[in-house]
Amino acid sequence: MARSKKHLGRYVDPRTDFGWKFYFGREDNKILLIEFLNSLFHGEKIISDLRYKPVEHDGDYEEMRRVVFDLHCIGSDGEVFIIEMQQLFQEFFKDRAVYYTSRLINKQLARGKKGSDYYLPEVYFIGILEFDMDRNGSSGISRVTERPYFYDVALCDKLTKEIFYDKLGYKMISLPLFNKQPEELKTVMDQWLYLLKHLSTMDRLPTFLDKRIFGLIFEIGEIGKLTEEELMSYEASLKYKRDAESVFNSAKKSGEALGHAKGLSEGKAKGLAEGKAKGLAEGERKKALETAKAFKEMGLPIADIAKGTGLPVEEVEKL
């Protein structure tokens, strides 16, 4: 056991499913989630308290897709927060974020309610991503900003740039694009993002992090303090993360190679582009199915397998 703990490092990695919920998904530690969210809103709003809510939501109709959030909370002013940690690239992640918020918004008005009262609470989607959301330039827009790792999205008037509706927002963090060094950390949000990226490799609370905010993480996050059951869950979560990343990277390489070969055989630039895209998609899907089947045989939760591989829950259930 001692060898295993040493191999894992000193602190639980928050970028695993276990670690994310261990630090941010427990009532005893909710001050950590409150502090983290306040750093993202940076005075735009101040969250004083949170209540954890169910993360599983069935559709109103049988054919509607069931959704499972990582974390679902209600603020002291009635605002709704969906907080997601996404480890692997997902082509339609923006669609998923909009779908999740729309499902919760749809739940706010009771069926059969008459009249013109359509008052809705604030709804926010918070995404912590371990990939570049626009890595392929899919948005078609060049993001010229001092914080390319931070997406702060709201409904606004395209002509005046003024906020059209201030009760729906999306705040996304692309961790791979955050590369600040300790001496460059100017805000509390900077400190949080640095911690998320590097906590698993630290051996103590560094002096450049605010002890009043981050002391609790270093107090509760020591792997040596985990129960036997927690340690087993963490090891499984860490293995799942590493295996999924390995499968994804292998699929990407094989897909790119297949696409390149097909493109060259066609002898056209268009054929190269299409071949790379098709090869990548086919390779990723094949590997995702293999990984999902293996994880299902290991007894991992269907929802976790679907999230990690990017496959629909229904498809994983059929494996």
Side-chain angles (χ1 to χ4, degrees):
M1 185 63 66
R3 181 184 66 81
S4 177
K5 290 181 180 180
K6 183 177 180 181
H7 173 71
L8 294 175
R10 184 170 183 182
Y11 297 103
V12 172
D13 188 348
R15 295 175 300 160
T16 60
D17 185 64
F18 172 88
W20 184 253
K21 294 170 183 174
F22 178 78
Y23 289 119
F24 300 108
R26 302 194 299 176
E27 183 72 25
D28 291 345
N29 305 334
K30 69 179 179 180
I31 184 61
L32 295 176
L33 183 57
I34 291 172
E35 293 283 2
F36 177 62
L37 292 178
N38 278 329
S39 77
L40 297 186
F41 282 93
H42 193 57
E44 175 186 340
K45 69 183 293 80
I46 297 177
I47 302 154
S48 58
D49 195 14
L50 290 172
R51 288 183 292 114
Y52 290 98
K53 302 291 287 182
V55 297
E56 299 185 11
H57 291 262
D58 292 321
D60 292 333
Y61 307 99
E62 184 176 349
E63 63 272 17
M64 286 187 69
R65 187 168 181 171
R66 180 168 173 261
V67 298
V68 181
F69 309 136
D70 278 350
L71 296 175
H72 173 205
C73 303
I74 305 293
S76 52
D77 293 329
E79 63 269 61
V80 181
F81 300 96
I82 302 170
I83 304 103
E84 290 281 304
M85 162 64 79
Q86 181 67 32
Q87 295 172 352
L88 298 178
F89 176 77
Q90 193 173 76
E91 183 178 2
F92 299 107
F93 186 77
K94 295 177 185 177
D95 300 68
R96 174 177 157 192
V98 173
Y99 180 70
Y100 276 15
T101 54
S102 66
R103 283 289 292 270
L104 286 188
I105 291 172
N106 180 256
K107 296 288 186 181
Q108 302 306 314
L109 295 178
R111 284 187 181 180
K113 186 175 181 179
K114 298 180 179 180
S116 59
D117 182 8
Y118 282 90
Y119 175 82
L120 296 171
E122 300 171 41
V123 177
Y124 299 99
F125 182 97
I126 312 297
I128 311 303
L129 319 178
E130 288 218 72
F131 56 85
D132 179 358
M133 190 159 56
D134 286 320
R135 66 179 186 178
N136 297 321
S138 58
S139 68
I141 301 174
S142 177
R143 299 188 74 240
V144 180
T145 170
E146 294 180 354
R147 298 189 292 176
Y149 50 84
F150 184 42
Y151 293 76
D152 194 1
V153 181
L155 291 177
C156 68
D157 187 312
K158 293 172 66 174
L159 298 179
T160 66
K161 311 303 180 184
E162 295 179 350
I163 300 297
F164 170 75
Y165 184 73
D166 63 358
K167 295 199 294 182
L168 175 63
Y170 301 84
K171 295 182 186 293
M172 315 281 199
I173 299 292
S174 181
L175 285 177
L177 300 183
F178 181 83
N179 297 307
K180 289 188 177 183
Q181 299 304 306
E183 64 274 11
E184 300 175 291
L185 306 180
K186 306 300 182 183
T187 66
V188 176
M189 185 177 84
D190 286 347
Q191 294 185 47
W192 270 111
L193 302 189
Y194 186 92
L195 182 75
L196 291 178
K197 287 197 70 169
H198 300 288
L199 178 59
S200 63
T201 62
M202 294 179 176
D203 59 8
R204 66 177 63 87
L205 172 62
T207 57
F208 56 81
L209 294 182
D210 192 325
K211 183 177 181 179
R212 296 167 298 178
I213 297 176
F214 303 104
L216 179 59
I217 283 186
F218 286 85
E219 178 183 337
I220 67 174
E222 289 190 46
I223 290 176
K225 294 181 179 180
L226 296 179
T227 65
E228 189 72 21
E229 183 179 354
E230 288 173 335
L231 181 60
M232 291 178 63
S233 296
Y234 176 53
E235 287 181 313
S237 183
L238 194 60
K239 183 180 186 303
Y240 171 78
K241 180 178 187 293
R242 291 169 177 171
D243 287 351
E245 288 175 345
S246 177
V247 168
F248 179 81
N249 290 332
S250 296
K252 180 180 178 182
K253 290 179 181 179
S254 62
E256 288 175 345
L258 177 61
H260 183 67
K262 181 178 179 180
L264 288 178
S265 67
E266 293 176 355
K268 297 180 181 180
K270 180 180 179 181
L272 175 60
E274 292 177 349
K276 288 177 69 177
K278 182 178 180 180
L280 178 57
E282 291 176 349
E284 286 181 351
R285 175 170 173 76
K286 181 179 178 180
K287 290 292 184 181
L289 288 170
E290 292 175 354
T291 302
K293 185 176 181 181
F295 285 152
K296 189 176 181 182
E297 292 174 352
M298 291 168 59
L300 293 178
I302 297 295
D304 291 346
I305 296 174
K307 180 180 177 184
T309 59
L311 296 172
V313 171
E314 296 81 2
E315 192 164 3
V316 175
E317 290 175 340
K318 294 177 182 178
L319 292 176

